[in-house]
Amino acid sequence: MTHPPFRFGPALLFCPADRPDRYRKAGERADAVILDLEDAVADDAKRAARVALVASTLDPERVIVRVNPASTPHFADDLAALAATPYRTVMLAKCEGTADLVGLEDHEVIALCETARGVLAAAEVAALPNVSALMWGAEDLVASLGGSSSRRADGAYRSVATHARSQVLLAAGAHGVAAIDTVHLDIADLEGLRQEAEDAVAVGFAATACIHPSQVDVVRAAYRPDAERLEWARAVLAAAAGAGAGVFAFRGGMVDAPVLRQAEAVVRRSGRG
């Protein structure tokens, strides 16, 4: 299946919706800003956050609004506030099935599959016509299972988290929508973030979410192919154009259709971030 390029770019930066003083700077720093009405905003500040959202004047093409889960009383209020803005891209928190998207038919939706139910429903959600991406989340997933930690002592994800990450990625890929990798909560651990972002792009994620401006450049660098890889990709595509259809040898290796699709993905990424 051919995947359309993810229009927002690889580094998405969360910004609490009750901090309008940070909106513009976050939007300028990242490829897109996620104005967060959910976890980043306490219950007693959600009304003020919606007022700030309505008053904002950011470029709608670079704004994603994370709304509260459809199962909460905040959801309807979030949608009412959203209707008073030009923003039409929604990140739906704790999406657990297609019924959660009722009322969002006129919006582009990034479904956040971050509970056990959400991960298991990822493929059905990805099949909806207004869903452009899936994202997974480790901490809410483990909490939904009754657990207490998504990572081992060495910092690596536990197996259930890596399973969920793969399942969401596969569901997105099967339906031709983008997959977004989850946040790296240890802000100081830029090396760990780099490793995870490099793995994300290697397996097909289109973007990685960030929680701090310092993470943006690390993510962009990880998604941008280095000069050697880009040279190889362009050269193998040029060789394929000359060789015609079928399998051929190139620089000591065999090249077939999957290899060419990988090379095309490398070239696409070179123009982003």
Side-chain angles (χ1 to χ4, degrees), residues 7 9 14 27 32 54 66 73 99 136 143 147 161-162 171 187-188 191 196 203-204 216 232 240 256 259:
R7 67 185 182 89
F14 277 102
V54 171
R66 178 159 78 166
W136 78 289
T162 57
I187 295 172
E191 175 59 22
E196 288 182 1
V203 295
V216 168
W232 169 85
D256 58 6
V259 173

mmCIF file of all heavy atoms in Angstrom, residues 7 9 14 27 32 54 66 73 99 136 143 147 161-162 171 187-188 191 196 203-204 216 232 240 256 259:
data_model
loop_
_atom_site.group_PDB
_atom_site.id
_atom_site.type_symbol
_atom_site.label_atom_id
_atom_site.label_comp_id
_atom_site.label_asym_id
_atom_site.label_seq_id
_atom_site.Cartn_x
_atom_site.Cartn_y
_atom_site.Cartn_z
ATOM 1 N N ARG A 7 1.806 15.107 6.516
ATOM 2 C CA ARG A 7 1.937 16.518 6.165
ATOM 3 C C ARG A 7 2.513 17.387 7.268
ATOM 4 O O ARG A 7 2.952 18.509 7.005
ATOM 5 C CB ARG A 7 0.587 17.068 5.729
ATOM 6 C CG ARG A 7 -0.471 17.142 6.818
ATOM 7 C CD ARG A 7 -1.802 17.590 6.216
ATOM 8 N NE ARG A 7 -2.855 17.734 7.196
ATOM 9 C CZ ARG A 7 -3.095 18.849 7.863
ATOM 10 N NH1 ARG A 7 -2.323 19.893 7.683
ATOM 11 N NH2 ARG A 7 -4.084 18.913 8.724
ATOM 12 N N GLY A 9 5.212 16.760 9.242
ATOM 13 C CA GLY A 9 6.636 16.661 9.526
ATOM 14 C C GLY A 9 6.887 15.797 10.736
ATOM 15 O O GLY A 9 5.970 15.374 11.436
ATOM 16 N N PHE A 14 4.021 18.910 22.083
ATOM 17 C CA PHE A 14 2.885 19.169 22.959
ATOM 18 C C PHE A 14 3.046 20.511 23.661
ATOM 19 O O PHE A 14 4.152 20.897 24.070
ATOM 20 C CB PHE A 14 2.765 18.082 24.024
ATOM 21 C CG PHE A 14 2.047 16.842 23.565
ATOM 22 C CD1 PHE A 14 2.759 15.704 23.215
ATOM 23 C CD2 PHE A 14 0.660 16.800 23.507
ATOM 24 C CE1 PHE A 14 2.107 14.555 22.802
ATOM 25 C CE2 PHE A 14 -0.002 15.658 23.096
ATOM 26 C CZ PHE A 14 0.723 14.530 22.747
ATOM 27 N N GLY A 27 4.778 26.523 18.365
ATOM 28 C CA GLY A 27 4.462 26.361 16.959
ATOM 29 C C GLY A 27 5.613 26.701 16.041
ATOM 30 O O GLY A 27 5.801 26.078 14.999
ATOM 31 N N ALA A 32 4.792 20.860 14.046
ATOM 32 C CA ALA A 32 3.403 21.149 14.382
ATOM 33 C C ALA A 32 3.308 21.191 15.896
ATOM 34 O O ALA A 32 4.062 20.518 16.605
ATOM 35 C CB ALA A 32 2.453 20.096 13.824
ATOM 36 N N VAL A 54 -9.751 29.167 21.839
ATOM 37 C CA VAL A 54 -10.634 29.918 20.949
ATOM 38 C C VAL A 54 -10.024 31.265 20.573
ATOM 39 O O VAL A 54 -10.176 31.735 19.442
ATOM 40 C CB VAL A 54 -12.019 30.099 21.596
ATOM 41 C CG1 VAL A 54 -12.876 31.063 20.783
ATOM 42 C CG2 VAL A 54 -12.722 28.753 21.739
ATOM 43 N N ARG A 66 -5.368 18.281 20.979
ATOM 44 C CA ARG A 66 -5.691 17.030 21.671
ATOM 45 C C ARG A 66 -6.896 17.270 22.576
ATOM 46 O O ARG A 66 -6.837 18.079 23.498
ATOM 47 C CB ARG A 66 -4.525 16.496 22.499
ATOM 48 C CG ARG A 66 -4.934 15.209 23.241
ATOM 49 C CD ARG A 66 -3.786 14.341 23.672
ATOM 50 N NE ARG A 66 -3.102 14.811 24.861
ATOM 51 C CZ ARG A 66 -2.236 14.072 25.571
ATOM 52 N NH1 ARG A 66 -1.963 12.817 25.187
ATOM 53 N NH2 ARG A 66 -1.633 14.569 26.620
ATOM 54 N N PRO A 73 -16.858 13.829 30.459
ATOM 55 C CA PRO A 73 -17.762 14.977 30.284
ATOM 56 C C PRO A 73 -17.098 16.175 29.619
ATOM 57 O O PRO A 73 -17.789 17.095 29.172
ATOM 58 C CB PRO A 73 -18.182 15.307 31.720
ATOM 59 C CG PRO A 73 -17.108 14.743 32.587
ATOM 60 C CD PRO A 73 -16.632 13.510 31.876
ATOM 61 N N ALA A 99 -16.694 4.087 17.763
ATOM 62 C CA ALA A 99 -17.780 4.881 18.339
ATOM 63 C C ALA A 99 -17.255 6.165 18.974
ATOM 64 O O ALA A 99 -17.990 7.154 19.076
ATOM 65 C CB ALA A 99 -18.542 4.052 19.375
ATOM 66 N N TRP A 136 0.506 5.831 19.586
ATOM 67 C CA TRP A 136 0.376 4.958 20.746
ATOM 68 C C TRP A 136 0.954 5.677 21.960
ATOM 69 O O TRP A 136 1.682 6.662 21.835
ATOM 70 C CB TRP A 136 1.081 3.619 20.517
ATOM 71 C CG TRP A 136 2.578 3.676 20.665
ATOM 72 C CD1 TRP A 136 3.465 4.273 19.824
ATOM 73 C CD2 TRP A 136 3.339 3.130 21.740
ATOM 74 N NE1 TRP A 136 4.741 4.132 20.305
ATOM 75 C CE2 TRP A 136 4.708 3.431 21.477
ATOM 76 C CE3 TRP A 136 3.025 2.419 22.891
ATOM 77 C CZ2 TRP A 136 5.735 3.032 22.334
ATOM 78 C CZ3 TRP A 136 4.049 2.020 23.734
ATOM 79 C CH2 TRP A 136 5.377 2.330 23.454
ATOM 80 N N ALA A 143 -1.060 1.644 32.647
ATOM 81 C CA ALA A 143 -2.042 1.939 33.694
ATOM 82 C C ALA A 143 -3.361 1.218 33.428
ATOM 83 O O ALA A 143 -4.013 0.720 34.359
ATOM 84 C CB ALA A 143 -2.266 3.445 33.780
ATOM 85 N N GLY A 147 -0.786 -2.047 35.601
ATOM 86 C CA GLY A 147 0.650 -2.077 35.862
ATOM 87 C C GLY A 147 1.157 -0.758 36.411
ATOM 88 O O GLY A 147 0.399 0.203 36.605
ATOM 89 N N ALA A 161 4.725 -3.071 26.101
ATOM 90 C CA ALA A 161 4.780 -1.766 25.439
ATOM 91 C C ALA A 161 5.285 -1.907 24.005
ATOM 92 O O ALA A 161 4.729 -1.296 23.082
ATOM 93 C CB ALA A 161 5.657 -0.804 26.230
ATOM 94 N N THR A 162 6.322 -2.684 23.804
ATOM 95 C CA THR A 162 6.833 -2.864 22.444
ATOM 96 C C THR A 162 5.818 -3.600 21.571
ATOM 97 O O THR A 162 5.700 -3.332 20.369
ATOM 98 C CB THR A 162 8.173 -3.616 22.438
ATOM 99 O OG1 THR A 162 8.013 -4.883 23.100
ATOM 100 C CG2 THR A 162 9.246 -2.817 23.161
ATOM 101 N N ALA A 171 -1.247 -1.618 12.303
ATOM 102 C CA ALA A 171 -2.613 -1.205 11.975
ATOM 103 C C ALA A 171 -2.592 0.019 11.075
ATOM 104 O O ALA A 171 -3.343 0.107 10.090
ATOM 105 C CB ALA A 171 -3.399 -0.918 13.253
ATOM 106 N N ILE A 187 13.323 13.965 29.823
ATOM 107 C CA ILE A 187 13.726 15.106 28.998
ATOM 108 C C ILE A 187 15.239 15.212 28.867
ATOM 109 O O ILE A 187 15.773 15.585 27.816
ATOM 110 C CB ILE A 187 13.137 16.409 29.585
ATOM 111 C CG1 ILE A 187 11.612 16.374 29.499
ATOM 112 C CG2 ILE A 187 13.674 17.634 28.848
ATOM 113 C CD1 ILE A 187 10.929 17.515 30.232
ATOM 114 N N ALA A 188 15.949 14.878 29.942
ATOM 115 C CA ALA A 188 17.411 15.000 29.925
ATOM 116 C C ALA A 188 18.083 13.907 29.100
ATOM 117 O O ALA A 188 19.245 14.053 28.699
ATOM 118 C CB ALA A 188 17.954 14.987 31.347
ATOM 119 N N GLU A 191 20.080 11.148 24.397
ATOM 120 C CA GLU A 191 20.651 10.001 23.703
ATOM 121 C C GLU A 191 19.616 8.884 23.583
ATOM 122 O O GLU A 191 19.481 8.240 22.537
ATOM 123 C CB GLU A 191 21.897 9.493 24.415
ATOM 124 C CG GLU A 191 22.504 8.211 23.846
ATOM 125 C CD GLU A 191 22.913 8.315 22.378
ATOM 126 O OE1 GLU A 191 23.124 9.450 21.882
ATOM 127 O OE2 GLU A 191 23.022 7.263 21.723
ATOM 128 N N GLU A 196 15.620 5.940 20.146
ATOM 129 C CA GLU A 196 14.232 5.549 19.899
ATOM 130 C C GLU A 196 13.699 6.178 18.613
ATOM 131 O O GLU A 196 12.951 5.542 17.865
ATOM 132 C CB GLU A 196 13.358 5.925 21.098
ATOM 133 C CG GLU A 196 13.628 5.033 22.301
ATOM 134 C CD GLU A 196 12.741 5.343 23.494
ATOM 135 O OE1 GLU A 196 11.885 6.245 23.408
ATOM 136 O OE2 GLU A 196 12.923 4.685 24.531
ATOM 137 N N VAL A 203 11.617 1.694 11.144
ATOM 138 C CA VAL A 203 10.529 0.732 10.969
ATOM 139 C C VAL A 203 9.278 1.349 10.363
ATOM 140 O O VAL A 203 8.287 0.652 10.135
ATOM 141 C CB VAL A 203 10.174 0.022 12.298
ATOM 142 C CG1 VAL A 203 11.345 -0.820 12.773
ATOM 143 C CG2 VAL A 203 9.736 1.018 13.370
ATOM 144 N N GLY A 204 9.280 2.657 10.101
ATOM 145 C CA GLY A 204 8.175 3.226 9.351
ATOM 146 C C GLY A 204 7.307 4.253 10.047
ATOM 147 O O GLY A 204 6.298 4.680 9.476
ATOM 148 N N VAL A 216 13.051 18.528 19.951
ATOM 149 C CA VAL A 216 12.646 18.696 18.555
ATOM 150 C C VAL A 216 13.795 18.441 17.586
ATOM 151 O O VAL A 216 13.656 17.675 16.623
ATOM 152 C CB VAL A 216 12.048 20.098 18.337
ATOM 153 C CG1 VAL A 216 11.891 20.397 16.840
ATOM 154 C CG2 VAL A 216 10.713 20.223 19.048
ATOM 155 N N TRP A 232 23.069 6.718 -1.477
ATOM 156 C CA TRP A 232 22.733 5.356 -1.894
ATOM 157 C C TRP A 232 21.326 5.292 -2.475
ATOM 158 O O TRP A 232 21.088 4.690 -3.537
ATOM 159 C CB TRP A 232 22.839 4.405 -0.704
ATOM 160 C CG TRP A 232 22.243 3.051 -1.002
ATOM 161 C CD1 TRP A 232 22.842 2.002 -1.612
ATOM 162 C CD2 TRP A 232 20.882 2.652 -0.755
ATOM 163 N NE1 TRP A 232 21.947 0.963 -1.759
ATOM 164 C CE2 TRP A 232 20.750 1.334 -1.246
ATOM 165 C CE3 TRP A 232 19.780 3.270 -0.165
ATOM 166 C CZ2 TRP A 232 19.549 0.623 -1.150
ATOM 167 C CZ3 TRP A 232 18.587 2.571 -0.071
ATOM 168 C CH2 TRP A 232 18.478 1.263 -0.566
ATOM 169 N N ALA A 240 17.844 1.731 -11.024
ATOM 170 C CA ALA A 240 16.609 1.007 -11.329
ATOM 171 C C ALA A 240 15.945 1.564 -12.586
ATOM 172 O O ALA A 240 15.404 0.814 -13.409
ATOM 173 C CB ALA A 240 15.645 1.094 -10.153
ATOM 174 N N ASP A 256 15.370 -5.335 -5.273
ATOM 175 C CA ASP A 256 14.061 -5.677 -5.814
ATOM 176 C C ASP A 256 13.067 -4.606 -5.391
ATOM 177 O O ASP A 256 13.447 -3.558 -4.852
ATOM 178 C CB ASP A 256 13.621 -7.076 -5.369
ATOM 179 C CG ASP A 256 13.576 -7.223 -3.854
ATOM 180 O OD1 ASP A 256 13.776 -6.202 -3.138
ATOM 181 O OD2 ASP A 256 13.341 -8.341 -3.368
ATOM 182 N N VAL A 259 13.155 -3.062 -1.781
ATOM 183 C CA VAL A 259 14.337 -2.221 -1.572
ATOM 184 C C VAL A 259 14.136 -0.862 -2.226
ATOM 185 O O VAL A 259 14.511 0.181 -1.671
ATOM 186 C CB VAL A 259 15.600 -2.919 -2.114
ATOM 187 C CG1 VAL A 259 16.808 -1.978 -2.055
ATOM 188 C CG2 VAL A 259 15.884 -4.187 -1.326
#
